[in-house]
Amino acid sequence: MSSSPPVVRVKVTMAVVAGCLVAAACGTTATSQPAQAAQPTQTAQPTPPASTPAAPAPSAEPTTASPSPTGPPKFSAKVTGVARDRLRYSWRPGCPVPVGELRLVTMTYWGFDGRPHTGELVVHKNAADDIVTAFKRLYGWRWPIRKMQLVDVYKGDDFDSIDADNTSAFNCRPATGSSSWSQHAYGRAVDINPLENPYLSSDGSVAHKNARKFAKRPVHAPGVINPGDRVVRLFERLGWEWGGYWSGIKDYQHFSKGGG
């Protein structure tokens, strides 16, 4: 009976050993590396159909397209009374018409440079509508005019105005080679491109040297007026006579209302 205690100790020891063997057989995690955390699963985004374009980002401010030019400006004309100081050289007491019967026509014309310009003519009040009608048609044809200034820019000197190839109308002066009033003195005549359309004396001579190459008709060049052309017909329909049809002298630049 005295041998019972040792037996108990052996059983306890064997139980401990058995527990350790079981643990070794099953594997222990006490000294193993910690397990990596599971990565979150990414969800694939749906791909838009190939035929559907992505919507553009909205603009911060609305934009307005600038208008594109469609051509030269339209013809414009304004008819007003003319101040006496605008006629400092071309009008004087004793002229056949008073200043009050004259009108200043400010209008666009087509230049030799292929661009629109603004010019001025002074005519009688009864001729203003015809002048506007005629020059509106010339502008629509892009028929070129060198310049269009009052003869007063040249101190009323008709020769200097012609030498500058200036288109002009009113000038209180006698007709060339005559003591009678010119139709210009009444505001019922206009001279257009006087170098391209010169005045020829009865012997065929031309006073302006830079106009001699235009002395014979027909001449096919910009700004030239020829017999029977559309410029002549235009003024004829308005009741204006062309100086190119005169016998003896020829005044290719000259149109007058009622002739002369």
Side-chain angles (χ1 to χ4, degrees), residues 33-50:
Q33 296 296 326
Q36 296 293 329
Q39 296 295 326
T41 303
Q42 295 184 352
T43 303
Q45 297 296 326
T47 302

Side-chain angles (χ1 to χ4, degrees), residues 148-171:
M148 187 187 295
Q149 299 175 319
L150 303 191
V151 74
D152 290 79
V153 173
Y154 306 91
K155 297 183 177 181
D157 192 313
D158 188 58
F159 188 94
D160 289 348
S161 179
I162 290 175
D163 224 35
D165 205 11
N166 179 51
T167 294
S168 66
F170 174 77
N171 192 5

Side-chain angles (χ1 to χ4, degrees), residues 65-232:
S66 300
S68 59
T70 58
K74 294 182 179 179
F75 175 84
S76 64
K78 181 172 63 175
V79 179
T80 62
V82 57
R84 171 68 180 89
D85 61 2
R86 296 296 311 277
L87 309 176
R88 187 177 304 173
Y89 301 99
S90 62
W91 188 92
R92 61 187 180 276
C95 287
V97 292
V99 173
E101 292 186 10
L102 299 174
R103 297 293 181 266
L104 175 67
V105 182
T106 304
M107 58 187 169
T108 47
Y109 67 91
W110 197 255
F112 276 79
D113 59 358
R115 297 181 178 181
H117 300 271
T118 300
E120 294 179 320
L121 291 177
V122 170
V123 297
H124 193 274
K125 62 182 180 180
N126 294 335
D129 288 345
D130 289 347
I131 287 295
V132 170
T133 298
F135 281 87
K136 179 179 181 180
R137 184 62 59 87
L138 295 178
Y139 183 82
W141 290 339
R142 303 297 185 259
W143 198 86
I145 294 171
R146 185 75 62 187
K147 60 176 62 175
M148 187 187 295
Q149 299 175 319
L150 303 191
V151 74
D152 290 79
V153 173
Y154 306 91
K155 297 183 177 181
D157 192 313
D158 188 58
F159 188 94
D160 289 348
S161 179
I162 290 175
D163 224 35
D165 205 11
N166 179 51
T167 294
S168 66
F170 174 77
N171 192 5
C172 186
R173 61 173 178 83
T176 302
S178 172
S179 59
S180 301
W181 289 116
S182 165
Q183 287 296 321
H184 288 282
Y186 297 91
R188 294 196 293 258
V190 61
D191 290 340
I192 303 175
N193 292 343
L195 289 187
E196 287 78 12
N197 305 290
Y199 176 95
L200 274 65
S201 299
S202 56
D203 61 0
S205 62
V206 178
H208 299 265
K209 295 180 180 180
N210 52 0
R212 288 177 180 172
K213 63 181 178 180
F214 298 105
K216 294 183 178 180
R217 289 295 186 269
V219 176
H220 300 290
V224 170
I225 303 168
N226 287 300
D229 71 7
R230 59 182 178 174
V231 180
V232 174

